[in-house]
Amino acid sequence: MSTESDLTTALRAGLADFELTPEDQALVDGHLVHGGEEDQDGPLPVLAIIGRPNVGKSTLVNRILRRREAVVEDVPGVTRDRVAYAAEWSGRRFTIVDTGGWVLDATGIHLRVAEQAEVAVELADAVLFVVDATVGATDDDEAVVRMLRRAGKPVLLVANKVDDERTEADAMTLWNLGLGQPHPVSALHGRGSGDLLDAILEVLPETSAVAEAYPRSGPRRVALIGRPNVGKSSLLNKLAGTDRVVVDAVAGTTRDPVDELIELGGQTWRFVDTAGIRRRVHQSRGADFYASLRTQTALEKAEVAIVLIDVSEPISEQDIRVVQQVIDAGRALVIAYNKWDLLDEERRYYLEKEIERELVQVTWAPRANISARTGRHTDKLVAALETALGSWDQRVPTARLNAFLGEVVAAQPHPVRGGKQPRILFATQAGTRPPRFVIFASGFLEAGYRRFLERKLREQFGFDGTPIEISVRVREKRRR
Ligand code: GDP
Ligand code: GDP
């Protein structure tokens, strides 16, 4: 036996003194592996929540997610960044797409509700259509109903704001919409939400028919993303050249997302959702809304994202948001600085400053300075993609991890706070794609110390091009 595994055995044994849950124990024994996609049979079903502003969509999402902190604002149309959430009820998992934050786009254009809802519905397996029962059905609601009929997806009609029995009668008038039985709910107080969730599970398929399932062994999947006009379609055309193979989406589901197989550096890559890149629709109206939703769905299908940034303009809030979406989705990340041909000395100076300031949290992402127009350095993207995916797949053996953390902690222990010093008891990599670490500790680890540990892990094991997750489980010593 090596000394490393002796150490692990000793650490494991030491854990016997601490209160561990059965799940903790399974993790420690290496029986529980959360691996992004590994524990899934297929893509999770997608539920879209649509409805006019202020009917209570966000409140309902929070209710379904059982989140304590409400992100609801009293101002209608406050833009939220994220649109997709992981939900669970009765042991079944699904994805919720919330359109609540998308009433106004960045340029202040008011989106028609039906138009806004259309994309969300197209990308969903089932729909929750929320109406404010205290207001009743409006013309906007009628327009949504017509759109829903055309779409032909299963729909549950939610009569929200039915806070008490008195308002039940209001809910019943919504039978008139012709969508079947209204489900009376109070998103705010929770009334009726359990019944609604049961009804949701009845209409949702086991696995999504919308999000395409990919074989694990197939070509690696790349999403080409970035805000409008950064050069996505130009780069796609440059990379694809003439030997482009267009792959149709699953027949009978969505028409729009189409993948392309492109050969780069002697290997085939699957660029996902390229139709959304090529088809320049909805340019004027709600471009932001569509762009963000497309980014989200492309990320769900992809393993690695190339985020394009236009170097001829200052790095914007929107650029940073796209990068953040990749991290939140747990995908590998490559950043391509495009339009390098337009760069002069002065702009270059400011660009580097902007990168230092705005993108410090992703210094680990491989970078390529490219020009989709001239083809400059586009070949470097292949090495960057390979690096990022290699890190995304990487697994550090438990013995090595603990031996390494032991050294790190010995050299720089957690600061003593209030006379106490939390100890790291044991660590394990619980999953890959992206790498997820679980650290068992005898006390709370401060944010600064967690960042220090992440930095050390990256220095030692690489992980260039992938987000990594570190969760800390504080466990008490058993009383004797
Ligand atoms: P969204 O624009 O559709 O996402 O609506 P919000 O979730 O932001 O809710 C709009 C307003 O309606 C907020 O002030 C909520 O507190 C309120 N609201 C939401 N659900 C209910 C409910 O079930 N009952 C009552 N009385 N108010 C609610
Ligand atoms: P998309 O909206 O991200 O797909 O961006 P496009 O590919 O349509 O590009 C937007 C504009 O930027 C077009 O006018 C392109 O010709 C231009 N463009 C794209 N890449 C480059 C580049 O590398 N250099 C220069 N000078 N222009 C570029």
Side-chain angles (χ1 to χ4, degrees):
M1 234 201 248
S2 74
T3 46
E4 275 188 2
S5 47
D6 282 346
L7 171 73
T8 328
T9 311
L11 288 175
R12 276 210 186 95
L15 282 172
D17 294 339
F18 288 81
E19 302 270 2
L20 298 190
T21 65
E23 200 217 344
D24 289 348
Q25 197 58 54
L27 254 176
V28 169
D29 297 340
H31 294 321
L32 195 68
V33 174
H34 299 290
E37 305 174 328
E38 285 163 351
D39 53 353
Q40 255 170 246
D41 296 330
L44 296 176
V46 180
L47 179 73
I49 305 208
I50 63 170
R52 287 185 304 106
N54 253 344
V55 295
K57 294 183 296 300
S58 321
T59 313
L60 186 60
V61 169
N62 281 329
R63 173 64 55 190
I64 294 174
L65 299 176
R66 279 165 289 174
R67 264 196 308 226
R68 253 166 279 140
E69 89 283 14
V71 294
V72 180
E73 309 262 352
D74 273 328
V75 189
V78 182
T79 309
R80 265 167 280 114
D81 296 344
R82 273 171 257 171
V83 292
Y85 304 92
E88 192 188 329
W89 179 251
S90 292
R92 272 180 60 191
R93 297 193 295 145
F94 54 99
T95 302
I96 297 181
V97 173
D98 172 21
T99 58
W102 297 100
V103 181
L104 295 178
D105 75 0
T107 50
I109 299 165
H110 190 87
L111 290 168
R112 278 189 292 120
V113 177
E115 184 182 77
Q116 172 197 147
E118 198 160 353
V119 177
V121 170
E122 189 182 304
L123 301 167
D125 292 295
V127 181
L128 279 195
F129 175 36
V130 186
V131 177
D132 184 337
T134 64
V135 173
T138 66
D139 288 350
D140 269 347
D141 291 327
E142 306 270 0
V144 172
V145 169
R146 284 193 294 278
M147 182 276 289
L148 286 172
R149 287 237 169 76
R150 282 197 303 275
K153 301 263 167 97
V155 179
L156 292 179
L157 174 61
V158 178
N160 190 35
K161 309 202 185 177
V162 180
D163 297 345
D164 51 38
E165 232 154 281
R166 245 174 345 106
T167 26
E168 293 263 351
D170 296 337
M172 290 310 123
T173 64
L174 296 174
W175 273 101
N176 290 341
L177 282 172
L179 288 175
Q181 182 205 343
H183 296 264
V185 164
S186 170
L188 196 58
H189 304 301
R191 197 170 185 273
S193 64
D195 290 345
L196 176 65
L197 277 156
D198 290 340
I200 290 171
L201 291 192
E202 271 175 35
V203 298
L204 277 181
E206 284 290 331
T207 60
S208 180
V210 175
E212 202 174 339
Y214 293 99
R216 266 188 90 103
S217 54
R220 304 231 68 170
R221 307 184 304 270
V222 186
L224 197 55
I225 58 179
R227 64 182 172 78
N229 283 320
V230 291
K232 295 182 292 299
S233 56
S234 306
L235 180 61
L236 188 65
N237 284 329
K238 196 78 186 175
L239 294 176
T242 48
D243 356 286
R244 157 185 322 149
V245 182
V246 176
V247 187
D248 273 316
V250 178
T253 57
T254 45
R255 306 156 267 114
D256 192 25
V258 168
D259 299 349
E260 291 185 37
L261 297 175
I262 295 175
E263 193 166 309
L264 298 175
Q267 300 187 47
T268 303
W269 302 81
R270 188 173 194 128
F271 281 71
V272 300
D273 276 14
T274 54
I277 297 175
R278 291 189 189 285
R279 210 169 53 122
R280 303 177 63 87
V281 286
H282 304 302
Q283 276 299 305
S284 50
R285 290 180 77 93
D288 249 27
F289 167 71
Y290 295 106
S292 179
L293 207 55
R294 294 239 178 264
T295 300
Q296 192 70 39
T297 50
L299 280 173
E300 257 147 50
K301 295 179 171 187
E303 298 173 288
V304 58
I306 301 177
V307 174
L308 255 65
I309 289 177
D310 178 347
V311 297
S312 68
E313 288 176 17
I315 294 179
S316 72
E317 192 71 31
Q318 231 181 323
D319 293 319
I320 297 163
R321 205 184 300 155
V322 174
V323 168
Q324 190 59 46
Q325 263 181 292
V326 179
I327 297 170
D328 290 346
R331 298 306 193 256
L333 169 68
V334 168
I335 301 182
Y337 292 93
N338 190 35
K339 310 197 188 178
W340 204 260
D341 57 294
L342 296 178
L343 211 59
D344 58 24
E345 278 304 309
E346 191 191 353
R347 174 69 199 125
R348 172 151 198 186
Y349 171 81
Y350 288 107
L351 174 70
E352 297 301 337
K353 293 269 171 225
E354 286 162 18
I355 293 173
E356 260 171 53
R357 194 175 56 233
E358 310 288 355
L359 295 171
V360 274
Q361 81 281 22
V362 286
T363 47
W364 44 259
R367 160 179 181 173
N369 303 330
I370 66 166
S371 167
R373 174 160 297 169
T374 66
R376 174 191 201 270
H377 283 180
T378 48
D379 51 332
K380 300 223 163 135
L381 286 173
V382 176
L385 287 170
E386 279 169 351
T387 301
L389 283 168
S391 303
W392 196 61
D393 289 333
Q394 183 176 202
R395 185 185 293 281
V396 179
T398 305
R400 268 189 77 195
L401 180 65
N402 283 286
F404 173 69
L405 281 178
E407 282 167 28
V408 168
V409 172
Q412 188 164 337
H414 192 285
V416 179
R417 296 282 184 249
K420 289 199 180 141
Q421 185 170 44
R423 273 192 309 125
I424 290 178
L425 307 167
F426 187 78
T428 183
Q429 184 174 343
T432 58
R433 319 180 129 212
R436 297 154 210 242
F437 296 92
V438 178
I439 296 178
F440 291 91
S442 65
F444 178 75
L445 302 185
E446 289 172 3
Y449 199 72
R450 290 179 193 218
R451 280 197 299 274
F452 162 74
L453 291 178
E454 172 169 349
R455 209 166 57 240
K456 288 291 171 188
L457 280 175
R458 286 188 178 282
E459 274 171 24
Q460 177 73 16
F461 299 109
F463 294 123
D464 282 350
T466 184
I468 61 180
E469 289 176 20
I470 301 179
S471 61
V472 179
R473 300 191 179 186
V474 176
R475 293 298 177 256
E476 309 261 301
K477 207 149 191 166
R478 263 181 226 285
R479 291 200 193 129
R480 292 174 192 269

